[in-house]
mmCIF file of all heavy atoms in Angstrom:
data_model
loop_
_atom_site.group_PDB
_atom_site.id
_atom_site.type_symbol
_atom_site.label_atom_id
_atom_site.label_comp_id
_atom_site.label_asym_id
_atom_site.label_seq_id
_atom_site.Cartn_x
_atom_site.Cartn_y
_atom_site.Cartn_z
ATOM 1 N N SER A 6 187.380 105.567 144.863
ATOM 2 C CA SER A 6 185.941 105.656 144.644
ATOM 3 C C SER A 6 185.229 105.395 145.965
ATOM 4 O O SER A 6 185.743 104.675 146.826
ATOM 5 C CB SER A 6 185.472 104.643 143.593
ATOM 6 O OG SER A 6 185.703 103.324 144.036
ATOM 7 N N LYS A 7 184.053 105.993 146.106
ATOM 8 C CA LYS A 7 183.269 105.767 147.308
ATOM 9 C C LYS A 7 182.557 104.435 147.178
ATOM 10 O O LYS A 7 181.834 104.191 146.213
ATOM 11 C CB LYS A 7 182.263 106.900 147.510
ATOM 12 C CG LYS A 7 181.535 106.829 148.852
ATOM 13 C CD LYS A 7 180.705 108.082 149.087
ATOM 14 C CE LYS A 7 180.037 108.052 150.451
ATOM 15 N NZ LYS A 7 179.286 109.293 150.715
ATOM 16 N N LEU A 8 182.745 103.563 148.164
ATOM 17 C CA LEU A 8 182.249 102.201 148.082
ATOM 18 C C LEU A 8 180.862 102.037 148.697
ATOM 19 O O LEU A 8 180.183 101.049 148.429
ATOM 20 C CB LEU A 8 183.238 101.251 148.768
ATOM 21 C CG LEU A 8 184.689 101.343 148.274
ATOM 22 C CD1 LEU A 8 185.590 100.411 149.070
ATOM 23 C CD2 LEU A 8 184.777 101.025 146.793
ATOM 24 N N TRP A 9 180.464 102.979 149.529
ATOM 25 C CA TRP A 9 179.162 102.905 150.192
ATOM 26 C C TRP A 9 178.065 103.283 149.209
ATOM 27 O O TRP A 9 178.202 104.213 148.429
ATOM 28 C CB TRP A 9 179.138 103.837 151.388
ATOM 29 C CG TRP A 9 177.983 103.622 152.323
ATOM 30 C CD1 TRP A 9 176.898 104.427 152.503
ATOM 31 C CD2 TRP A 9 177.812 102.527 153.243
ATOM 32 N NE1 TRP A 9 176.057 103.909 153.450
ATOM 33 C CE2 TRP A 9 176.592 102.741 153.932
ATOM 34 C CE3 TRP A 9 178.561 101.399 153.542
ATOM 35 C CZ2 TRP A 9 176.114 101.863 154.898
ATOM 36 C CZ3 TRP A 9 178.089 100.518 154.498
ATOM 37 C CH2 TRP A 9 176.875 100.766 155.172
ATOM 38 N N THR A 10 176.971 102.524 149.221
ATOM 39 C CA THR A 10 175.855 102.775 148.317
ATOM 40 C C THR A 10 174.553 102.850 149.112
ATOM 41 O O THR A 10 174.497 102.456 150.282
ATOM 42 C CB THR A 10 175.722 101.645 147.272
ATOM 43 O OG1 THR A 10 175.393 100.418 147.952
ATOM 44 C CG2 THR A 10 177.020 101.460 146.487
ATOM 45 N N ASP A 11 173.515 103.338 148.463
ATOM 46 C CA ASP A 11 172.194 103.375 149.120
ATOM 47 C C ASP A 11 171.728 101.978 149.483
ATOM 48 O O ASP A 11 171.081 101.779 150.514
ATOM 49 C CB ASP A 11 171.176 104.039 148.187
ATOM 50 C CG ASP A 11 171.437 105.532 147.999
ATOM 51 O OD1 ASP A 11 172.173 106.124 148.823
ATOM 52 O OD2 ASP A 11 170.907 106.094 147.032
ATOM 53 N N ARG A 12 172.054 100.995 148.640
ATOM 54 C CA ARG A 12 171.660 99.616 148.921
ATOM 55 C C ARG A 12 172.362 99.104 150.176
ATOM 56 O O ARG A 12 171.747 98.424 151.012
ATOM 57 C CB ARG A 12 171.997 98.739 147.718
ATOM 58 C CG ARG A 12 171.813 97.246 147.931
ATOM 59 C CD ARG A 12 170.366 96.880 148.196
ATOM 60 N NE ARG A 12 170.210 95.427 148.256
ATOM 61 C CZ ARG A 12 169.138 94.819 148.749
ATOM 62 N NH1 ARG A 12 168.134 95.515 149.236
ATOM 63 N NH2 ARG A 12 169.060 93.497 148.764
ATOM 64 N N LEU A 13 173.641 99.434 150.351
ATOM 65 C CA LEU A 13 174.361 99.014 151.552
ATOM 66 C C LEU A 13 173.774 99.693 152.789
ATOM 67 O O LEU A 13 173.659 99.070 153.850
ATOM 68 C CB LEU A 13 175.850 99.323 151.424
ATOM 69 C CG LEU A 13 176.614 98.531 150.352
ATOM 70 C CD1 LEU A 13 178.083 98.927 150.350
ATOM 71 C CD2 LEU A 13 176.463 97.031 150.552
ATOM 72 N N GLU A 14 173.398 100.941 152.653
ATOM 73 C CA GLU A 14 172.753 101.647 153.770
ATOM 74 C C GLU A 14 171.455 100.949 154.161
ATOM 75 O O GLU A 14 171.163 100.756 155.356
ATOM 76 C CB GLU A 14 172.458 103.091 153.363
ATOM 77 C CG GLU A 14 171.717 103.910 154.405
ATOM 78 C CD GLU A 14 172.594 104.316 155.570
ATOM 79 O OE1 GLU A 14 173.811 104.459 155.373
ATOM 80 O OE2 GLU A 14 172.052 104.505 156.680
ATOM 81 N N GLU A 15 170.687 100.557 153.154
ATOM 82 C CA GLU A 15 169.426 99.855 153.419
ATOM 83 C C GLU A 15 169.677 98.538 154.148
ATOM 84 O O GLU A 15 169.005 98.213 155.137
ATOM 85 C CB GLU A 15 168.707 99.589 152.090
ATOM 86 C CG GLU A 15 167.433 98.776 152.224
ATOM 87 C CD GLU A 15 166.902 98.298 150.893
ATOM 88 O OE1 GLU A 15 167.408 98.738 149.840
ATOM 89 O OE2 GLU A 15 165.984 97.452 150.893
ATOM 90 N N LEU A 16 170.656 97.765 153.655
ATOM 91 C CA LEU A 16 170.930 96.460 154.262
ATOM 92 C C LEU A 16 171.513 96.599 155.662
ATOM 93 O O LEU A 16 171.259 95.759 156.532
ATOM 94 C CB LEU A 16 171.883 95.662 153.371
ATOM 95 C CG LEU A 16 171.310 95.179 152.042
ATOM 96 C CD1 LEU A 16 172.380 94.492 151.208
ATOM 97 C CD2 LEU A 16 170.128 94.244 152.263
ATOM 98 N N TRP A 17 172.289 97.642 155.890
ATOM 99 C CA TRP A 17 172.868 97.864 157.216
ATOM 100 C C TRP A 17 171.764 98.007 158.263
ATOM 101 O O TRP A 17 171.916 97.565 159.401
ATOM 102 C CB TRP A 17 173.749 99.101 157.186
ATOM 103 C CG TRP A 17 174.457 99.400 158.481
ATOM 104 C CD1 TRP A 17 173.965 100.072 159.566
ATOM 105 C CD2 TRP A 17 175.794 99.020 158.835
ATOM 106 N NE1 TRP A 17 174.902 100.147 160.566
ATOM 107 C CE2 TRP A 17 176.036 99.512 160.145
ATOM 108 C CE3 TRP A 17 176.804 98.328 158.171
ATOM 109 C CZ2 TRP A 17 177.254 99.328 160.798
ATOM 110 C CZ3 TRP A 17 178.018 98.148 158.818
ATOM 111 C CH2 TRP A 17 178.229 98.637 160.113
ATOM 112 N N ASN A 18 170.671 98.629 157.865
ATOM 113 C CA ASN A 18 169.585 98.910 158.803
ATOM 114 C C ASN A 18 168.493 97.843 158.790
ATOM 115 O O ASN A 18 167.492 97.992 159.495
ATOM 116 C CB ASN A 18 168.971 100.276 158.481
ATOM 117 C CG ASN A 18 169.946 101.413 158.700
ATOM 118 O OD1 ASN A 18 170.533 101.534 159.775
ATOM 119 N ND2 ASN A 18 170.146 102.250 157.692
ATOM 120 N N ARG A 19 168.683 96.804 158.010
ATOM 121 C CA ARG A 19 167.695 95.727 157.937
ATOM 122 C C ARG A 19 168.170 94.506 158.708
ATOM 123 O O ARG A 19 169.364 94.346 158.977
ATOM 124 C CB ARG A 19 167.466 95.335 156.473
ATOM 125 C CG ARG A 19 166.482 96.228 155.734
ATOM 126 C CD ARG A 19 166.364 95.798 154.291
ATOM 127 N NE ARG A 19 166.212 94.345 154.154
ATOM 128 C CZ ARG A 19 166.232 93.705 152.983
ATOM 129 N NH1 ARG A 19 166.411 94.384 151.866
ATOM 130 N NH2 ARG A 19 166.091 92.393 152.934
ATOM 131 N N PRO A 20 167.250 93.604 159.069
ATOM 132 C CA PRO A 20 167.662 92.350 159.701
ATOM 133 C C PRO A 20 168.584 91.544 158.795
ATOM 134 O O PRO A 20 168.471 91.590 157.566
ATOM 135 C CB PRO A 20 166.340 91.619 159.930
ATOM 136 C CG PRO A 20 165.305 92.685 159.962
ATOM 137 C CD PRO A 20 165.775 93.733 158.991
ATOM 138 N N SER A 21 169.495 90.814 159.408
ATOM 139 C CA SER A 21 170.421 89.953 158.692
ATOM 140 C C SER A 21 170.204 88.512 159.143
ATOM 141 O O SER A 21 169.389 88.242 160.039
ATOM 142 C CB SER A 21 171.860 90.369 158.982
ATOM 143 O OG SER A 21 172.157 90.140 160.365
ATOM 144 N N VAL A 22 170.936 87.597 158.553
ATOM 145 C CA VAL A 22 170.867 86.209 159.004
ATOM 146 C C VAL A 22 171.277 86.129 160.474
ATOM 147 O O VAL A 22 170.624 85.448 161.276
ATOM 148 C CB VAL A 22 171.778 85.309 158.141
ATOM 149 C CG1 VAL A 22 171.829 83.891 158.709
ATOM 150 C CG2 VAL A 22 171.303 85.292 156.695
ATOM 151 N N ALA A 23 172.333 86.838 160.847
ATOM 152 C CA ALA A 23 172.816 86.793 162.232
ATOM 153 C C ALA A 23 171.792 87.350 163.208
ATOM 154 O O ALA A 23 171.544 86.760 164.274
ATOM 155 C CB ALA A 23 174.126 87.568 162.348
ATOM 156 N N SER A 24 171.172 88.477 162.868
ATOM 157 C CA SER A 24 170.206 89.072 163.804
ATOM 158 C C SER A 24 168.941 88.223 163.914
ATOM 159 O O SER A 24 168.369 88.074 164.996
ATOM 160 C CB SER A 24 169.857 90.507 163.377
ATOM 161 O OG SER A 24 169.172 90.531 162.138
ATOM 162 N N GLU A 25 168.493 87.635 162.790
ATOM 163 C CA GLU A 25 167.313 86.774 162.844
ATOM 164 C C GLU A 25 167.618 85.472 163.575
ATOM 165 O O GLU A 25 166.733 84.898 164.227
ATOM 166 C CB GLU A 25 166.802 86.479 161.437
ATOM 167 C CG GLU A 25 166.123 87.662 160.754
ATOM 168 C CD GLU A 25 164.894 88.150 161.512
ATOM 169 O OE1 GLU A 25 164.241 87.344 162.211
ATOM 170 O OE2 GLU A 25 164.587 89.354 161.397
ATOM 171 N N LEU A 26 168.853 85.014 163.495
ATOM 172 C CA LEU A 26 169.235 83.828 164.257
ATOM 173 C C LEU A 26 169.124 84.106 165.753
ATOM 174 O O LEU A 26 168.608 83.271 166.513
ATOM 175 C CB LEU A 26 170.658 83.408 163.904
ATOM 176 C CG LEU A 26 171.203 82.196 164.659
ATOM 177 C CD1 LEU A 26 170.489 80.925 164.226
ATOM 178 C CD2 LEU A 26 172.711 82.064 164.457
ATOM 179 N N ARG A 27 169.585 85.268 166.188
ATOM 180 C CA ARG A 27 169.488 85.615 167.617
ATOM 181 C C ARG A 27 168.035 85.680 168.061
ATOM 182 O O ARG A 27 167.683 85.208 169.147
ATOM 183 C CB ARG A 27 170.199 86.949 167.872
ATOM 184 C CG ARG A 27 171.719 86.868 167.788
ATOM 185 C CD ARG A 27 172.378 88.116 168.314
ATOM 186 N NE ARG A 27 172.143 89.272 167.450
ATOM 187 C CZ ARG A 27 172.929 89.610 166.439
ATOM 188 N NH1 ARG A 27 174.006 88.883 166.147
ATOM 189 N NH2 ARG A 27 172.670 90.669 165.702
ATOM 190 N N ARG A 28 167.180 86.246 167.220
ATOM 191 C CA ARG A 28 165.751 86.320 167.573
ATOM 192 C C ARG A 28 165.131 84.931 167.640
ATOM 193 O O ARG A 28 164.275 84.664 168.487
ATOM 194 C CB ARG A 28 165.023 87.187 166.550
ATOM 195 C CG ARG A 28 165.419 88.663 166.597
ATOM 196 C CD ARG A 28 164.521 89.507 165.695
ATOM 197 N NE ARG A 28 164.910 90.907 165.724
ATOM 198 C CZ ARG A 28 165.688 91.491 164.815
ATOM 199 N NH1 ARG A 28 166.132 90.780 163.784
ATOM 200 N NH2 ARG A 28 166.006 92.761 164.920
ATOM 201 N N LEU A 29 165.570 84.048 166.754
ATOM 202 C CA LEU A 29 165.065 82.675 166.766
ATOM 203 C C LEU A 29 165.433 81.987 168.078
ATOM 204 O O LEU A 29 164.591 81.330 168.704
ATOM 205 C CB LEU A 29 165.635 81.902 165.578
ATOM 206 C CG LEU A 29 165.315 80.404 165.518
ATOM 207 C CD1 LEU A 29 163.810 80.159 165.417
ATOM 208 C CD2 LEU A 29 166.043 79.754 164.325
ATOM 209 N N PHE A 30 166.656 82.138 168.537
ATOM 210 C CA PHE A 30 167.070 81.544 169.809
ATOM 211 C C PHE A 30 166.258 82.134 170.962
ATOM 212 O O PHE A 30 165.865 81.409 171.895
ATOM 213 C CB PHE A 30 168.563 81.768 170.037
ATOM 214 C CG PHE A 30 169.445 80.731 169.390
ATOM 215 C CD1 PHE A 30 170.053 80.974 168.164
ATOM 216 C CD2 PHE A 30 169.647 79.507 170.001
ATOM 217 C CE1 PHE A 30 170.861 80.027 167.577
ATOM 218 C CE2 PHE A 30 170.455 78.540 169.422
ATOM 219 C CZ PHE A 30 171.060 78.799 168.192
ATOM 220 N N GLU A 31 166.018 83.430 170.902
ATOM 221 C CA GLU A 31 165.228 84.067 171.963
ATOM 222 C C GLU A 31 163.812 83.506 171.994
ATOM 223 O O GLU A 31 163.270 83.240 173.082
ATOM 224 C CB GLU A 31 165.204 85.586 171.746
ATOM 225 C CG GLU A 31 166.552 86.266 171.996
ATOM 226 C CD GLU A 31 166.562 87.706 171.528
ATOM 227 O OE1 GLU A 31 165.500 88.190 171.043
ATOM 228 O OE2 GLU A 31 167.629 88.357 171.624
ATOM 229 N N ARG A 32 163.214 83.315 170.820
ATOM 230 C CA ARG A 32 161.860 82.765 170.792
ATOM 231 C C ARG A 32 161.828 81.341 171.324
ATOM 232 O O ARG A 32 160.840 80.928 171.946
ATOM 233 C CB ARG A 32 161.299 82.805 169.355
ATOM 234 C CG ARG A 32 160.992 84.183 168.840
ATOM 235 C CD ARG A 32 160.138 84.137 167.578
ATOM 236 N NE ARG A 32 160.759 83.438 166.473
ATOM 237 C CZ ARG A 32 161.570 84.009 165.582
ATOM 238 N NH1 ARG A 32 161.873 85.298 165.690
ATOM 239 N NH2 ARG A 32 162.086 83.304 164.578
ATOM 240 N N ARG A 33 162.882 80.586 171.070
ATOM 241 C CA ARG A 33 162.944 79.209 171.559
ATOM 242 C C ARG A 33 163.323 79.151 173.046
ATOM 243 O O ARG A 33 163.201 78.102 173.669
ATOM 244 C CB ARG A 33 163.954 78.406 170.749
ATOM 245 C CG ARG A 33 163.551 78.150 169.306
ATOM 246 C CD ARG A 33 162.513 77.041 169.190
ATOM 247 N NE ARG A 33 162.307 76.663 167.802
ATOM 248 C CZ ARG A 33 162.897 75.624 167.220
ATOM 249 N NH1 ARG A 33 163.706 74.843 167.908
ATOM 250 N NH2 ARG A 33 162.665 75.370 165.947
#
């Protein structure tokens, strides 16, 4: 079965905890 979904596509292109953490360090 195909495991990729539209929701996964959306999340792939959205900020994650890891990416927001990097931005937080940059702001600090």
Side-chain angles (χ1 to χ4, degrees):
S6 63
K7 188 172 183 177
L8 306 177
W9 193 252
T10 64
D11 291 342
R12 172 64 174 165
L13 294 181
E14 177 74 28
E15 176 192 350
L16 291 176
W17 183 276
N18 295 307
R19 277 178 46 187
S21 66
V22 174
S24 66
E25 288 299 332
L26 178 69
R27 288 192 291 270
R28 292 188 181 97
L29 174 61
F30 275 98
E31 290 169 2
R32 290 194 300 272
R33 292 283 189 97

